[in-house]
Amino acid sequence: MKAIGITIFLIFIVGIEFLLDKSRREKIEEEINFIGGNVINIERRNLFTGRGPFFIEGKGETVYKIEYVVDGVLKEGWVKFAGLFGVDWRL
């Protein structure tokens, strides 16, 4: 019985994380489109791939590296989604 409960809980957590990731990627697309750009690539970063240019990074924060084009120029940006402090854009 415990195994079934744990399995259901893990499936629920993975589902929530998937929906959060999808929502964040949509928000990134909207922000880049707002500044007149087109997204080329969005990459979720972690401890092993490097966390980007942020001075303070804590638990519960998600960092994405963005490659996008504005007026024919390829650019790189970063965004950190954090619980209390909101979103930190580096475009």
Side-chain angles (χ1 to χ4, degrees), residues 17-27 64:
E17 188 60 33
F18 175 77
L19 291 174
L20 278 173
D21 185 62
K22 183 179 177 191
S23 172
R24 291 172 180 151
R25 288 176 185 269
E26 289 172 356
K27 188 170 187 124
Y64 292 88

Side-chain angles (χ1 to χ4, degrees), residues 12-82:
F12 178 74
I13 295 298
V14 168
I16 293 287
E17 188 60 33
F18 175 77
L19 291 174
L20 278 173
D21 185 62
K22 183 179 177 191
S23 172
R24 291 172 180 151
R25 288 176 185 269
E26 289 172 356
K27 188 170 187 124
I28 290 169
E29 292 265 354
E30 289 174 9
E31 186 70 20
I32 297 300
N33 289 336
F34 180 75
I35 63 171
N38 292 316
V39 173
I40 303 297
N41 187 36
I42 301 172
E43 179 183 341
R44 185 173 175 173
R45 306 297 282 199
N46 59 39
L47 183 63
F48 303 110
T49 58
R51 299 284 300 211
F54 301 103
F55 181 68
I56 298 175
E57 298 168 13
K59 184 178 179 182
E61 298 177 343
T62 307
V63 176
Y64 292 88
K65 178 182 176 184
I66 311 156
E67 292 177 353
Y68 61 101
V69 175
V70 176
D71 298 327
V73 178
L74 181 63
K75 297 187 175 196
E76 177 181 281
W78 296 85
V79 62
K80 177 174 70 171
F81 291 91

Side-chain angles (χ1 to χ4, degrees), residues 3-18:
I4 293 172
I6 291 172
T7 303
I8 291 172
F9 178 73
L10 289 175
I11 291 171
F12 178 74
I13 295 298
V14 168
I16 293 287
E17 188 60 33
F18 175 77

